[in-house]
Amino acid sequence: MVYIEGRSRSIFSRPGTKQNSFVINFGNAMGINNTRILLHDRPVVSSNDIYVTPFRIGAVDWSCLHDSLQVKVEEDELSYALVYFRPNAKKRSDRDIPLDLHNKLVEALSKELGIPVKTFNGSESFEEQRELFSRAKIFVGPHGAGFANLVFTSNPIPAVELLTPQIGDRLWQMLGAHSFRHPLPWWPVLVKSFSDEEAILGQAVSVAKKAYLYHYQGRDDELAGSQD
């Protein structure tokens, strides 16, 4: 996806893809009229007009998206942990956490962090996703495109990314997290598989708690008793 900066700002997206509805929603959120969203199988380049998200040492710069799409929320308005679950785990067991294990993870995080835990599964509307991410205090989940929704945050919340040896070279930090105006605290957790209950309920929950306490300690009254 590319878009033009300036008076003729536009978005180009390949036709017939499932992402087109989100391309349109993202464009609208950035103030781009539908008439300027072109479905084309190749980007149309106009000299000196087109902005292409640059690659730096294999990393994508998302600062333009973050500037346009973040939802301004004060830190004291953040109220829950958000956990990433993709409902097609049976089809992609190598990429997704099974539902029963996800439910156990939600329960464990709620107990350890002492705050409500909500689930993000990708079926939410565009505006629901913006609202959901904008008020999260921490985001936890397996590596996946869902992490891109952190462009909606205006606060540098901890992001706990679960990785397996098979996808350990696709670090989300290198896919854009470093480029936010407020670099997000990134906490990677390597597990054998997303079905490894011992590692996810043990190591992953432990890292999430450490990330949460480290980030909010001394700035959040609700943590006062957790250090006794």
Side-chain angles (χ1 to χ4, degrees), residues 3-11 22-37 64-65 67-70 126-127 130:
Y3 67 93
I4 291 178
E5 289 282 357
R7 287 176 295 179
S8 60
R9 177 182 291 185
S10 301
I11 285 181
F22 275 90
V23 169
I24 292 172
N25 286 329
F26 267 74
N28 293 165
M30 296 169 67
I32 302 175
N33 188 281
N34 285 354
T35 60
R36 300 301 304 170
I37 298 175
C64 56
L65 291 176
D67 288 345
S68 299
L69 299 174
Q70 63 177 281
F126 181 79
E127 287 305 325
R130 289 189 77 191

Side-chain angles (χ1 to χ4, degrees), residues 40-112:
H40 198 278
D41 60 356
R42 293 172 185 244
V44 179
V45 180
S46 176
S47 178
N48 299 321
D49 285 335
I50 203 161
Y51 176 92
V52 181
T53 301
F55 282 81
R56 297 198 309 273
I57 318 178
V60 182
D61 185 340
W62 287 359
S63 57
C64 56
L65 291 176
H66 187 230
D67 288 345
S68 299
L69 299 174
Q70 63 177 281
V71 180
K72 296 292 186 180
V73 173
E74 297 299 323
E75 186 178 270
D76 60 7
E77 296 180 73
L78 309 182
S79 60
Y80 49 80
L82 191 58
V83 181
Y84 185 20
F85 173 70
R86 289 176 291 204
N88 60 347
K90 291 184 178 180
K91 297 180 181 179
R92 301 174 58 184
S93 58
D94 61 323
R95 295 289 307 276
D96 302 300
I97 296 176
L99 178 59
D100 60 337
L101 181 52
H102 166 81
N103 291 335
K104 293 179 181 179
L105 175 60
V106 167
E107 183 178 351
L109 287 172
S110 179
K111 178 181 178 180
E112 293 298 323

Side-chain angles (χ1 to χ4, degrees), residues 108-136:
L109 287 172
S110 179
K111 178 181 178 180
E112 293 298 323
L113 303 184
I115 59 174
V117 179
K118 295 186 178 184
T119 293
F120 162 69
N121 60 30
S123 65
E124 302 85 352
S125 70
F126 181 79
E127 287 305 325
E128 287 172 341
Q129 291 185 35
R130 289 189 77 191
E131 178 67 16
L132 195 58
F133 276 83
S134 70
R135 298 181 183 278

